[in-house]
Amino acid sequence: MSIFDRIRNAILGDAQAAAPFQSLPASPLTPPASPNLPSDTVPPPGLGAPQSGQIAERPPIITDPATGAPPPAPAPAVDIEDVLDEAVRNSGQKLDWRHSIVDLMKAVGLDASLHERWELARELGYAGDTNDSAKMNTFLHKTLMKRLSENGGKVPPALLD
C-alpha cells in the first residue's frame, strides 16, 4: 500500500477510501410477443393501468446488477479537521498538522522520516529538488490536502490555497 493510501485510510477510513459503486445503465426489456394476438394488435391496458394521457415520466431505477439492490447512498464527506485534531489530542504531542506534513504524518501514526517523505513526493509527482526539504514539504502538504479533498475529505478552504 502506498504512503498516500495509508494517510488517506488513516484520515478518511477504509470505507470512505473505497471506490464508489458504479452501476450499469438499465437496459430496456422487450416483452415477448403474445402468440394469440396478431402482430399489429396492441392489447388493452389492464384494470387500473394509466391511460396514455396519464403516464408520467419517472427516473430510471438503477440497481446493482449482481444483487438487484439499489446503490448505496454516497458517504458524507469526512471532516479532516475533526479527525486530525482528535488524532493530535490522542498523540499527546504538540503537532501542527495544518502547516507541517511531518506533524500530519506523526498525528496519524506514520513514519515521517525524510525517506518516507521522499517516497511520498515520488508518489505525488514532485519534480523539484528533494534536497530542498522545505519546498518539498510545502508541496507535499498542499498536494495531500488537495488529494484528500478529491477523495471525500472535507478540507478547510484555507488549506486548499
Side-chain angles (χ1 to χ4, degrees), residues 87-132:
V88 168
R89 280 191 293 277
N90 292 339
S91 77
Q93 301 176 60
K94 184 177 179 178
L95 301 172
D96 183 12
W97 68 265
R98 286 173 181 80
H99 301 100
S100 168
I101 188 69
V102 172
D103 286 359
L104 187 148
M105 292 174 78
K106 286 179 180 180
V108 296
L110 296 178
D111 177 5
S113 69
L114 184 56
H115 181 268
E116 289 292 296
R117 286 180 282 130
W118 280 342
E119 182 62 28
L120 181 60
R122 187 189 60 73
E123 289 174 22
L124 297 179
Y126 181 64
D129 181 5
T130 55
N131 292 317
D132 186 348

Side-chain angles (χ1 to χ4, degrees), residues 7-17 78 80 148 151-154:
I7 294 170
R8 181 188 63 194
N9 290 348
I11 296 170
L12 302 179
D14 292 332
Q16 186 76 19
V78 174
I80 70 155
L148 289 172
N151 282 273
K154 181 181 163 200

Side-chain angles (χ1 to χ4, degrees), residues 66-92:
T67 65
V78 174
D79 189 335
I80 70 155
E81 193 167 28
D82 290 345
V83 172
L84 289 171
D85 285 345
E86 180 68 22
V88 168
R89 280 191 293 277
N90 292 339
S91 77

